[in-house]
């Protein structure tokens, strides 16, 4: 068996009464229909706190999130739960798996195949594969409450529903979409030097960083690196 487990991902299981209805009023995407979908949990101002992929498992829902954020995400969801009869806990019997062959990631088909199964050997190459396709994820890259959801390229990566109704941060997100004006975007940049505070995240082993750049400046020389502009992003900014 090839090594396919994404060891930097964890699963949170939500079980109990109407868990989809509970999430529907909180997260950016429509979880009432077909799953999986990519979604975010935002601040009331519409900035990204957590991002995750939502999976169905019978009547339960599984949130495929970054391991380092799993406990904080579970705690935040527990605060929103109030007295609803819903259990929120880590599920360690299953793991997130990935292969570059195939498709199925709800953000972008080119990301490859993604599925849930028992844990196995650690996959290699996922982060570089994802970043070279221009896709950011996780609190470090998204900015941990500092980046508006549409600046995370959420509309282009199928991470938001504009027709499902209210959720946390919906008002600002809908207003930005209505105005069709996203002034800044998260961009992956090839760089051989430490970009410092200019970037949200830097991976020196890959020579890649993630930065929040003004759209008007993306085509200009950065002085510290070269932006990666895949077709899906170029078309969005045209």
């Amino acid at each position: 068996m090839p090594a396919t487990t994404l060891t930097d991902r964890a699963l949170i299981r939500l079980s109990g009464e109407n868990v989809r209805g509970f999430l529907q009023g909180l997260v950016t995407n429509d979880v009432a229909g077909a799953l999986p979908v990519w979604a975010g949990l935002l601040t009331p101002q519409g900035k990204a706190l957590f991002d995750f992929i939502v999976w169905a498992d019978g009547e339960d829902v599984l949130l495929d999130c970054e391991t380092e954020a799993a406990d904080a995400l579970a705690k935040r969801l527990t605060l929103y739960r109030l007295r609803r009869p819903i259990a929120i806990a880590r599920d360690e019997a299953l793991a997130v798996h990935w292969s570059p062959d195939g498709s199925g990631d709800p953000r972008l088909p080119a990301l490859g195949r993604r599925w849930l199964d028992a844990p196995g050997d650690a996959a290699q190459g996922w982060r570089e594969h994802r970043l070279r396709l221009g896709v950011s994820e996780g609190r470090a890259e998204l900015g941990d409450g500092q980046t508006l959801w549409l600046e995370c390229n959420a509309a282009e990566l199928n991470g938001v529903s504009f027709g499902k109704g209210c959720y946390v941060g919906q008002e600002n997100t809908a207003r930005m979409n209505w105005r069709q004006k996203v002034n800044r975007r998260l961009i992956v940049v090839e760089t051989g030097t430490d970009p410092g505070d200019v970037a949200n995240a830097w991976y020196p082993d890959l020579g890649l960083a993630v930065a929040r750049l003004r759209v008007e400046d993306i085509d200009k020389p950065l002085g510290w690196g070269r932006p990666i502009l895949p077709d899906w992003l170029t078309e969005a900014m045209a």
Side-chain angles (χ1 to χ4, degrees):
M1 289 288 290
T4 58
T5 299
L6 295 180
T7 56
D8 63 342
R9 304 294 292 183
L11 290 166
I12 298 174
R13 180 178 292 274
L14 282 70
S15 56
E17 183 179 306
N18 191 21
V19 292
R20 289 207 193 197
F22 166 62
L23 280 180
Q24 187 78 336
L26 293 178
V27 306
T28 61
N29 218 331
D30 187 350
V31 299
L35 299 179
V37 296
W38 182 51
L41 182 60
L42 313 182
T43 69
Q45 295 75 34
K47 296 181 178 181
L49 287 174
F50 304 97
D51 74 301
F52 38 82
I53 294 177
V54 185
W55 299 81
D57 186 16
E59 295 299 314
D60 292 357
V61 165
L62 290 163
L63 303 184
D64 160 1
C65 64
E66 60 176 333
T67 301
E68 291 184 359
D71 291 342
L73 174 57
K75 183 177 180 180
R76 179 62 64 104
L77 292 172
T78 299
L79 292 175
Y80 284 121
R81 179 185 59 185
L82 301 176
R83 296 185 178 180
R84 292 181 180 90
I86 293 174
I88 302 170
R90 292 274 293 269
D91 186 321
E92 298 183 353
L94 292 172
V96 181
H97 293 257
W98 164 76
S99 169
D101 300 320
S103 61
D105 192 299
R107 293 167 291 185
L108 191 70
L111 284 170
R113 182 180 169 222
R114 196 180 188 98
W115 72 99
L116 306 182
D117 206 339
D121 294 333
Q124 303 295 321
W126 160 247
R127 177 178 286 167
E128 182 171 12
H129 178 78
R130 171 176 61 79
L131 289 172
R132 290 198 175 278
L133 289 170
V135 178
S136 301
E137 69 179 20
R139 291 190 297 181
E141 295 176 15
L142 302 190
D144 196 8
Q146 301 167 345
T147 310
L148 292 165
W149 188 233
L150 296 190
E151 293 178 342
C152 301
N153 305 311
E156 294 74 27
L157 294 172
N158 306 309
V160 58
S161 168
F162 296 109
K164 80 180 188 86
C166 294
Y167 55 86
V168 178
Q170 182 264 347
E171 185 175 354
N172 279 353
T173 304
R175 185 182 298 116
M176 282 185 69
N177 179 65
W178 180 74
R179 292 176 177 174
Q180 289 291 295
K181 192 169 181 62
V182 181
N183 293 322
R184 294 177 175 83
R185 288 186 180 270
L186 289 182
I187 304 293
V188 180
V189 180
E190 289 184 324
T191 179
T193 59
D194 184 351
D197 294 339
V198 176
N200 290 359
W202 178 47
Y203 304 105
D205 58 322
L206 302 179
L208 298 172
V210 177
R212 180 169 168 260
L213 303 178
R214 292 187 63 86
V215 171
E216 63 191 40
D217 294 335
I218 290 172
D219 289 334
K220 301 175 183 178
L222 294 179
W224 57 273
R226 183 181 68 84
I228 292 176
L229 299 175
D231 289 345
W232 64 265
L233 185 55
T234 302
E235 291 169 5
M237 296 187 299

